[in-house]
Amino acid sequence: GAKLISAEGLMRGNGTSFDPDGKLTRAMFAAVLYRAFGGKAGSAAVFGDVDDPSTWYYDAVNWAAARGYVKGSGGKFLPGAPITRQDMAVILARAAGAGETAPDDDALGVYADSAAIAPYARGAVAYVTQAGLMQGSAGSFAPVGETTRAEVGQVFIRLVDNAA
């Protein structure tokens, strides 16, 4: 599991440590997705705040946008913002080919805070829950909670295991 994530270079530390409790930004998540799906450079800039090819996340974000995995808001991607759990679910569902999945209230019913999941994310949260890609904690999904590097690593281990 964790060795695979490290060996494949999906999750990279700062050179000296993995920082499992560190928060993942939207750009970092796009970069992990890019590595996991074998993304290639060459996509044109899509967002006004991701238009400098010298940034480390330029290729990853624009590759993900070209495939419809990320959509941003108001022409911006906000690469430095922490990624929320519900946004991660939406991106994972799109990348898995689930598209804009209809919400499944039975699947969401396992979470005491299901009413707090944004309408745009309800179908995706149901999908990643049923697919076993994401889980809640103590009966809650925490949709606007920030995600740690360790949690994202675990999600990608599950994604790789599901694909195997």
Side-chain angles (χ1 to χ4, degrees), residues 3-61:
K3 285 185 178 179
L4 174 117
I5 295 298
S6 177
E8 295 296 325
L10 299 183
M11 300 288 296
R12 297 179 181 158
N14 65 7
T16 58
S17 71
F18 178 70
D19 188 18
D21 295 323
K23 299 299 181 196
L24 215 74
T25 65
R26 292 170 55 82
M28 289 173 183
F29 188 75
V32 175
L33 195 68
Y34 177 78
R35 293 177 197 127
F37 284 86
K40 303 284 186 245
S43 297
V46 175
F47 304 108
D49 57 352
V50 185
D51 59 351
D52 179 357
S54 69
T55 58
W56 62 268
Y57 51 81
Y58 176 88
D59 287 329
V61 170

Side-chain angles (χ1 to χ4, degrees), residues 89-106:
V90 168
I91 294 166
L92 284 170
R94 288 176 185 153
E100 306 302 325
T101 308
D104 179 337
D105 290 332
D106 288 339

Side-chain angles (χ1 to χ4, degrees), residues 97-151:
E100 306 302 325
T101 308
D104 179 337
D105 290 332
D106 288 339
L108 295 176
V110 302
Y111 301 121
D113 59 353
S114 66
I117 300 168
Y120 73 88
R122 293 180 69 76
V125 172
Y127 172 81
V128 298
T129 297
Q130 291 175 319
L133 297 177
M134 292 181 71
Q135 303 166 349
S137 176
S140 296
F141 186 74
V144 296
E146 296 175 1
T147 306
T148 67
R149 294 172 55 82
E151 290 167 337

